[in-house]
Amino acid sequence: MEKQKKQQTLSEKKRHQLMKIASYSSVITAVILIIIKVISFFMTNSLAILSSLMDSGLDFGASVVSLIAIHQSLIPADKEHRFGHGKAEALGALAQGIIICFSGIFLFYETLTQIFNPKPLQRFDIGVIVMLISIVITLILVLFQRFVIKKTNSISINADNAHYIGDISMNIGVILSMICSYLLGWSWLDAIFALCVSVFLFYSAYKIIFKVQSILMDKELPIETRKKIKQIVLNHALISNIYDLRTRNSGQNSFIQFSVSLNGNYSLQTTHDLCNNLEQEIKQFVPNCEIFIHPEPKNEK
């Protein structure tokens, strides 16, 4: 038994280590992409590359938030934070949303400036090479993240991975934009692409801030989830009713509490076993949750 427990502990440590490596790799990748795109923008004067640079800034913010979330999720609840540290992820995401808004405003301003004072695309070859390098670097990160997700089932890394997959498509779009602008003379396409990205940045910020306010305001879990919880509880023959169901989400963790009316006056051991069974069944449906159950005997309801 002790040997099995030790193996589980070692496996958990390895899982945590993989999550940390993936989060640091994401941040380092974003920094590298930002540096090479800043250099490329000043060499090519391409708005498409500037758009990609703004998105890399978004990647950096998302990666930092993911890094914080992972580290916080590995810290157990303490005396001052009895419900854990899940809302630190929401606060970080709120800061990220604000940064994204400013990035969108800056890109929109630069695009309008370029439209009224157009500047020719320079060093087309450098721009294409840089974007190809960006695609290769991002692809390596995406493949490594997929490996870590398979081993750890991390929600934060999974979200970060989805964002970087979108970046690969965006970088391909940047290359096509530069080709049309440089070879076909369609300079307007470069500006249109940048405007589309600025709108995308505003939309991304909106989604992040909307999700953050739901967490900070302790919004209930989805109706379907609450209905399923009630169904699980009422499937037990010893329970006649469930009421005062309250749920909320805090980062990667959920909190569920409710009261149940029992069909009779059962022993403490029977009631205890019933609550334990309920917790296990609900946790299979809602992972990473803490459950508080208040049972009441028949003559008290």
Side-chain angles (χ1 to χ4, degrees):
M1 182 69 179
E2 186 67 28
K3 183 178 180 181
Q4 183 180 3
K5 184 177 180 181
K6 185 176 181 180
Q7 288 177 344
Q8 290 176 348
T9 303
L10 289 175
S11 176
E12 185 177 0
K13 288 182 178 179
K14 186 176 181 180
R15 181 171 62 88
H16 291 174
Q17 185 179 21
L18 279 174
M19 291 170 65
K20 289 180 179 180
I21 292 174
S23 60
Y24 280 118
S25 299
S26 181
V27 173
I28 292 172
T29 299
V31 172
I32 293 174
L33 292 177
I34 288 174
I35 292 174
I36 63 176
K37 287 177 184 179
V38 166
I39 297 173
S40 177
F41 171 68
F42 284 110
M43 295 181 67
T44 63
N45 204 32
S46 169
L47 280 177
I49 290 183
L50 179 61
S51 303
S52 182
L53 173 59
M54 293 296 101
D55 192 62
S56 292
L58 169 63
D59 293 340
F60 177 75
S63 298
V64 170
V65 169
S66 178
L67 176 65
I68 295 173
I70 289 172
H71 277 267
Q72 291 295 320
S73 67
L74 300 181
I75 299 176
D78 52 37
K79 292 182 179 179
E80 295 182 352
H81 305 89
R82 301 303 296 269
F83 290 96
H85 304 78
K87 287 192 176 181
E89 180 179 358
L91 292 173
L94 179 61
Q96 178 189 353
I98 295 173
I99 293 172
I100 295 171
C101 279
F102 280 108
S103 297
I105 293 172
F106 173 75
L107 179 58
F108 189 79
Y109 171 79
E110 286 295 320
T111 303
L112 292 180
T113 302
Q114 178 77 333
I115 291 175
F116 290 106
N117 298 288
K119 299 177 183 178
L121 181 66
Q122 302 171 1
R123 299 304 303 272
F124 166 75
D125 53 340
I126 296 295
V128 172
I129 291 173
V130 165
M131 298 316 300
L132 288 175
I133 293 174
S134 299
I135 291 174
V136 172
I137 294 175
T138 306
L139 183 60
I140 293 173
L141 175 65
V142 165
L143 293 176
F144 176 64
Q145 286 179 329
R146 295 308 303 175
F147 168 77
V148 175
I149 292 168
K150 185 177 180 181
K151 296 292 183 180
T152 65
N153 198 30
S154 170
I155 298 175
S156 295
I157 297 176
N158 195 13
D160 207 34
N161 178 260
H163 197 275
Y164 275 105
I165 290 176
D167 288 348
I168 294 177
S169 301
M170 181 178 180
N171 289 335
I172 293 174
V174 170
I175 293 177
L176 294 177
S177 176
M178 287 191 298
I179 290 175
C180 293
S181 179
Y182 187 81
L183 298 181
L184 302 179
W186 297 352
S187 57
W188 50 268
L189 185 62
D190 196 29
I192 290 177
F193 184 83
L195 285 175
C196 290
V197 174
S198 65
V199 173
F200 168 75
L201 290 175
F202 289 131
Y203 178 66
S204 299
Y206 165 77
K207 289 198 301 181
I208 292 172
I209 294 174
F210 181 80
K211 185 176 181 180
V212 165
Q213 66 88 21
S214 298
I215 296 175
L216 294 179
M217 296 299 292
D218 292 331
K219 183 180 179 181
E220 290 277 358
L221 297 181
I223 296 177
E224 294 76 14
T225 302
R226 302 179 79 236
K227 286 183 178 178
K228 181 63 177 180
I229 293 173
K230 291 180 179 180
Q231 180 183 346
I232 293 173
V233 173
L234 294 176
N235 281 339
H236 285 262
L238 301 183
I239 297 175
S240 62
N241 189 25
I242 173 177
Y243 60 97
D244 200 21
L245 173 61
R246 303 179 187 180
T247 61
R248 67 185 177 92
N249 181 267
S250 180
Q252 298 183 25
N253 300 317
S254 299
F255 295 91
I256 302 169
Q257 66 182 73
F258 55 86
S259 298
V260 293
S261 299
L262 304 180
N263 288 325
N265 296 322
Y266 303 107
S267 66
L268 178 61
Q269 184 63 53
T270 301
T271 305
H272 174 75
D273 293 341
L274 172 63
C275 291
N276 277 344
N277 291 335
L278 282 174
E279 288 185 11
Q280 295 304 317
E281 292 178 27
I282 293 174
K283 285 182 177 180
Q284 289 181 358
F285 177 66
V286 185
N288 302 321
C289 71
E290 291 190 23
I291 304 170
F292 306 90
I293 305 174
H294 175 67
E296 290 191 357
K298 184 176 181 180
N299 61 353
E300 292 187 8
K301 180 62 181 171

